[in-house]
Amino acid sequence: MQIKRAKIATAVSAAFLTCAAGLATADSSPSLGNDPIRIVMPYGAGGSTDITARIIAANAAEHCGTRIDVVSMPGAGGMEGLQFVADATPNGHTILMADYSATITQTLTEETDWEVEDWSPIVHLTDWKPTVYVKADHEIQSIEEWIELAEAQPNSLVFGHADPLSLVHLPLVMLEMETGIQNVHLPTTGGGETRTMILGGHIDLGMTLPPSIVSNVNSGEVTAIGVFAEERSDVLPDVPTFKEAGYDVSFEAPLLVYTYSSVPESIQQELSECIMKGLETDTAQTMSAQASAGLNNVQGLESAQAIYRDTTARVSEVLAAINEE
Amino acid sequence: MLDLIIQASQLAFHPYVLMYVFLGVLLGITLGAIPGLSGDMAIALLLPFVFFLEPAMAMGLLVGIYKGGLFGGSISAISFGVPGTPGAAATSIDGYQAKLKGKPSKALHTALYSSVIGDTTSDLVLIFIAVPLAAIALTFGPIEFFALYAFSLILIAALSQGVVAKGLAVAAIGILLAMIGRDPITGAVRMTFGIPGLAGGLSLIPVLIGIFAISEVVFQGAKLWRRKVDKIMDDVANQASLLQGYDISKDKLTWAEFKFTLKATYIGAAVGTFIGALPGAGQSLAAFMSYGLAQRFSKRPEDFGKGSLEGIASAESGNSATAGSTFIPLFAFGIPGSATAALFGAAFILMGMTPGPSLLSDNTEIIYALFFTLIFANLVNLVLGKLLLPYYSRIAMIQPGYMIPAVFILAIIGTYAANNSTMDVWVLLFAGLLGITLKLLSFPLAPLVLGFIIGPGAERALRQSMIMGGGDWWVLVKSPIAIGFYIAAFVLILLFTLALRAKK
């Protein structure tokens, strides 16, 4: 009997010790474990975001101490991917990579289980600069000629711009607010279709992101007339910004990595640092340069959060203006 | 020029490159044969490895996967009635019927030969007339595309199993299903009944697999069940004799049969090459259009839908003939005409080559090597396909008792794997139910799938045309190409109706 009691006592104290040890680790800030990390991308495979995600996966893995998988979830217009990340255990192993369309525009315009603030941006990968272009033999060859013609004949020019309210459509709305010009807005399936229509002479103007038209610009088939950005694009250095032309419209689209806000801050910090480290390596930079992914100035948590706040304010402003119409 | 060809062929026929082509074709056939998995998916997954391979090797691998996948899709289409890839949907119409009649090997061989012939034709066209053909493709704006879509829909609906009204009705259901989700012009979510998972619309793969596979599996299962309950000995004996009496030596494709299917194969090769060069038109449209035209020009049109080898040849050749020409817009203008072309475009970019007019002049050697690889991969496809087919046709004759659950599981896993979406699995089951209902009411299923596939493109093209024309319907007939399509559709329908009457 004596022996039995002693055994129980030992067992109980051992159990207490284990619990205490457990509490001790839980007490210090939680950290990233060794399970694989999933980067969820709310787009189809093969696009430019896909390439960027795979550059992260290939280079950040060793710095984050675990394998990184890229998961493409284009379902429900990308909302399925966001839902998946929002529903995941908040341990930092399921993260999101997206531009602002999904996390800001769609969250503001559609019914979702989350608010804009529920997404915590941790890495600011690059800024895309929406660019307006025309066919090389079109009568419009500059920002000034466009505005002039649009003022003289409102609603005569057809403008192709991928999905409505997308990052290559909102800048057009802003410019129209600023200048009062009116164009016919033509939604297309994306940059590829817009470019086909421009090259085929079916529409007058189009908006896209620089990497997708660089080769057409260099070969003289199309003319990029203006960039909605603070500074000119690296890949299209000869194309002026709308600011240079005297129109105060700039709307760069940041590409961000997010965690859901319920993920502990220490894990957010850890993830942000290891992804940054991975992307600063030579291999990552070479890959980025080859793919024109623009990962040469990757910024951490603070910059990501600041740009996210800015962009939210800007998108809200444009959406409010559209709703007033 | 001769120097260039020698250098390019040295690149293309390097032992490592050949090895990668073999590996790619093997992977492609196997993945394509599994419903829901496709060559496209494998290419997307392998993109990161492109960084670490020499361009010629990477190209060999990707081209191999692509071509193997195009043919592999027809294996499950014929064996299980499940199109392994969207492009193989038309192949499953006659292929599965042929298999049910105890001719899986003939069906699979017809598919292989027509696939390789169609593909090679298309590659040759790509190599020799890439630039001029792309110029034609570019003249297609929304107005012309809508005419092309309308033309294909009318043709397919009218040609399916002879009942025009039923064909059109089912095509309309397909278009209706395709309208669920986001409005292409305003971006507003429509017809989802408040279900968030439907906001992006129904995905193609679950709808395809549900309509073609689940409905078929349940039908087979119901037949098995009834047989068990009624113990109709005749039926059991019949079934047993079909399974036990299957002798692969009697199921060889004869030279005469092969020659008879050649016309259908050529029609498919021509249609597929043309459609493939049009941006966005796609493999399934090419396959269905070839199928319709081959039936129209066939000496035995009544066999179509009942296991016709010509039906298989036209669909499979049309499907595979998009393989080369889909790169035409990518090479000439940097515009990817299909998902596959977009993936290859991404691979080019990763290798430091920009798709577009300067692609050929900046990277002459590697692109010529790619041309060699394209043709060589067809040979590998032929050889590997020929070697593997006996096994696949034996698999096709497995007892339905094993086959039904296997197909069901494959369908669900494949569907889930394609988009990592549970919603898609529900769509799959719903599409299965719809397929069963329509089958019971003896509606043809192919027009539904076609309506579903080209519905969104047709709606978008129509509404884009209307926006550009300021809301005036006359804009639709302001293009000579469009008028041509409408007249062609009208003439074909007229001929078809007259031919039907003459038969009566």
Side-chain angles (χ1 to χ4, degrees):
Chain A
M1 224 31 196
Q2 275 301 86
I3 301 167
K4 217 174 191 179
R5 198 172 284 164
K7 263 190 183 163
I8 292 170
T10 328
V12 169
S13 51
F16 269 116
L17 276 175
T18 327
C19 277
L23 281 175
T25 33
D27 221 30
S28 73
S29 49
S31 66
L32 208 56
N34 293 326
D35 296 335
I37 295 173
R38 268 181 296 208
I39 301 185
V40 175
M41 189 185 62
Y43 316 100
S48 53
T49 9
D50 187 20
I51 296 173
T52 308
R54 285 171 203 283
I55 294 176
I56 298 177
N59 295 289
E62 59 177 299
H63 299 278
C64 296
T66 173
R67 195 176 86 226
I68 301 180
D69 299 325
V70 179
V71 185
S72 158
M73 295 182 104
M79 289 294 102
E80 211 166 273
L82 270 70
Q83 189 79 54
F84 184 79
V85 178
D87 291 345
T89 322
N91 58 3
H93 284 269
T94 310
I95 59 181
L96 177 79
M97 189 184 91
D99 60 61
Y100 69 76
S101 293
T103 49
I104 301 179
T105 316
Q106 281 177 268
T107 302
L108 289 175
T109 53
E110 285 166 30
E111 275 181 40
T112 52
D113 291 352
W114 53 82
E115 301 296 325
V116 173
E117 298 75 31
D118 288 330
W119 295 101
S120 303
I122 54 170
V123 182
H124 177 193
L125 295 166
T126 185
D127 287 304
W128 285 329
K129 305 186 172 187
T131 303
V132 177
Y133 67 110
V134 295
K135 201 179 177 190
D137 58 10
H138 197 278
E139 58 179 310
I140 294 171
Q141 289 296 316
S142 68
I143 298 174
E144 292 74 17
E145 285 170 0
W146 173 25
I147 307 286
E148 214 168 280
L149 199 63
E151 274 173 350
Q153 299 162 22
N155 279 324
S156 66
L157 297 167
V158 181
F159 196 112
H161 57 62
D163 288 331
L165 305 186
S166 64
L167 46 93
V168 289
H169 181 219
L170 289 182
L172 171 66
V173 177
M174 278 187 104
L175 183 76
E176 289 186 345
M177 281 159 57
E178 174 84 15
T179 58
I181 61 166
Q182 286 174 330
N183 300 276
V184 177
H185 295 207
L186 187 76
T188 66
T189 51
E193 192 181 70
T194 307
R195 191 171 38 167
T196 315
M197 288 186 178
I198 293 275
L199 288 172
H202 302 285
I203 58 177
D204 302 290
L205 303 117
M207 196 177 331
T208 193
L209 302 174
S212 68
I213 50 162
V214 174
S215 66
N216 304 87
V217 170
N218 290 340
S219 68
E221 289 166 300
V222 302
T223 313
I225 61 169
V227 182
F228 287 105
E230 295 296 320
E231 281 167 29
R232 294 185 177 198
S233 153
D234 291 344
V235 284
L236 294 171
D238 299 332
V239 181
T241 65
F242 276 82
K243 286 209 157 169
E244 288 174 46
Y247 303 97
D248 189 19
V249 185
S250 160
F251 208 152
E252 294 178 42
L255 180 64
L256 302 165
V257 180
Y258 309 79
T259 67
Y260 203 60
S261 55
S262 53
V263 172
E265 268 177 38
S266 55
I267 294 185
Q268 292 187 14
Q269 192 68 42
E270 197 182 341
L271 269 172
S272 171
E273 280 163 15
C274 70
I275 292 175
M276 298 256 300
K277 250 182 224 158
L279 290 179
E280 279 159 7
T281 58
D282 289 345
T283 330
Q285 289 303 316
T286 316
M287 285 180 173
S288 161
Q290 271 181 14
S292 304
L295 299 178
N296 47 358
N297 188 21
V298 178
Q299 299 287 319
L301 214 122
E302 273 154 40
S303 158
Q305 291 181 346
I307 193 106
Y308 189 65
R309 275 193 300 272
D310 273 7
T311 312
T312 308
R314 201 170 297 168
V315 173
S316 311
E317 188 189 320
V318 181
L319 290 178
I322 292 174
N323 285 336
E324 270 169 30
E325 271 176 20
Chain B
M1 187 69 196
L2 195 65
D3 272 2
L4 177 69
I5 288 173
I6 292 168
Q7 278 166 349
S9 59
Q10 274 170 351
L11 259 181
F13 296 114
H14 187 278
Y16 277 123
V17 175
L18 300 187
M19 198 187 76
Y20 275 108
V21 174
F22 262 93
L23 187 73
V25 172
L26 194 66
L27 252 174
I29 295 184
T30 315
L31 288 176
I34 300 174
L37 300 185
S38 65
D40 280 0
M41 230 170 100
I43 294 174
L45 288 175
L46 285 174
L47 271 185
F49 298 99
V50 164
F51 282 122
F52 306 107
L53 289 178
E54 290 286 316
M57 294 177 199
M59 283 288 128
L61 182 68
L62 298 184
V63 165
I65 292 176
Y66 179 35
K67 305 219 159 191
L70 276 179
F71 164 63
S74 69
I75 294 176
S76 53
I78 290 168
S79 304
F80 320 132
V82 185
T85 53
T91 312
S92 69
I93 304 171
D94 273 293
Y96 188 56
Q97 290 302 323
K99 181 253 167 176
L100 285 183
K101 292 189 172 143
K103 298 188 287 186
S105 171
K106 278 183 188 179
L108 286 168
H109 277 92
T110 306
L112 175 63
Y113 299 144
S114 54
S115 180
V116 170
I117 294 175
D119 200 335
T120 310
T121 313
S122 182
D123 294 339
L124 291 173
V125 169
L126 166 72
I127 294 169
F128 290 106
I129 61 165
V131 178
L133 215 78
I136 298 176
L138 265 191
T139 60
F140 276 63
I143 297 167
E144 291 79 10
F145 265 114
F146 178 70
L148 173 66
Y149 286 130
F151 168 77
S152 347
L153 257 181
I154 292 169
L155 204 66
I156 295 298
L159 294 182
S160 62
Q161 296 182 16
V163 193
V164 178
K166 277 192 168 176
L168 282 174
V170 170
I173 295 179
I175 297 176
L176 190 70
L177 288 179
M179 289 172 90
I180 294 173
R182 225 167 274 280
D183 180 305
I185 302 301
T186 65
V189 173
R190 64 186 181 184
M191 289 162 67
T192 61
F193 299 96
I195 304 168
L198 288 179
L202 306 179
S203 317
L204 178 60
I205 287 172
V207 170
L208 270 186
I209 298 185
I211 292 283
F212 283 119
I214 298 294
S215 69
E216 186 61 41
V217 166
V218 172
F219 256 66
Q220 298 289 337
K223 275 186 199 159
L224 263 186
W225 174 248
R226 195 193 306 158
R227 217 173 289 142
K228 264 188 191 153
V229 174
D230 296 352
K231 289 195 193 304
I232 301 171
M233 292 314 289
D234 274 2
D235 212 20
V236 174
N238 269 344
Q239 183 72 13
S241 74
L242 179 65
L243 290 170
Q244 283 162 8
Y246 178 65
D247 177 4
I248 194 148
S249 62
K250 281 186 191 148
D251 186 20
K252 281 223 166 90
L253 185 70
T254 63
W255 177 244
E257 282 171 326
F258 172 68
K259 259 174 66 181
F260 184 69
T261 62
L262 269 181
K263 186 167 79 182
T265 303
Y266 295 149
I267 292 176
V271 172
T273 305
F274 175 68
I275 300 277
L278 300 175
Q283 294 160 14
S284 29
L285 178 61
F288 277 105
M289 271 196 78
S290 316
Y291 184 81
L293 278 176
Q295 183 178 28
R296 175 71 197 76
F297 290 108
S298 171
K299 280 190 189 123
R300 294 193 211 140
E302 66 278 4
D303 286 352
F304 276 64
K306 295 172 193 155
S308 159
L309 292 182
E310 280 187 297
I312 300 169
S314 59
E316 195 50 32
S317 144
N319 169 19
S320 296
T322 58
S325 59
T326 196
F327 293 123
I328 292 174
L330 182 72
F331 278 25
F333 295 90
I335 299 162
S338 63
T340 314
L343 289 169
F344 271 88
F348 282 141
I349 292 172
L350 290 180
M351 292 183 285
M353 306 192 281
T354 313
S358 55
L359 180 70
L360 190 65
S361 49
D362 292 351
N363 313 280
T364 322
E365 249 176 60
I366 183 73
I367 294 298
Y368 271 79
L370 175 65
F371 288 159
F372 281 118
T373 304
L374 280 170
I375 301 282
F376 176 71
N378 290 341
L379 283 176
V380 177
N381 203 357
L382 183 66
V383 172
L384 273 182
K386 184 96 180 97
L387 287 176
L388 291 174
L389 274 187
Y391 303 100
Y392 280 114
S393 33
R394 236 165 265 158
I395 291 170
M397 295 312 283
I398 290 173
Q399 288 269 9
Y402 298 107
M403 214 59 218
I404 293 166
V407 169
F408 216 93
I409 291 168
L410 271 181
I412 290 177
I413 294 176
T415 299
Y416 181 76
N419 274 334
N420 301 313
S421 157
T422 37
M423 188 67 208
D424 280 0
V425 179
W426 291 111
V427 173
L428 169 85
L429 298 177
F430 161 80
L433 265 180
L434 180 69
I436 294 164
T437 316
L438 291 173
K439 254 190 168 177
L440 283 173
L441 300 172
S442 65
F443 277 96
L445 293 182
L448 186 150
V449 169
L450 194 88
F452 184 76
I453 292 170
I454 73 176
E459 186 196 354
R460 185 182 286 273
L462 175 63
R463 294 180 59 184
Q464 284 175 337
S465 309
M466 297 306 285
I467 290 177
M468 287 163 65
D472 181 4
W473 286 92
W474 285 104
V475 75
L476 293 180
V477 289
K478 275 187 181 152
S479 146
I481 298 175
I483 295 171
F485 274 119
Y486 294 128
I487 292 175
F490 180 73
V491 168
L492 282 172
I493 295 276
L494 203 68
L495 282 174
F496 182 66
T497 324
L498 288 178
L500 261 190
R501 250 190 224 154
K503 260 183 216 163
K504 282 179 191 161

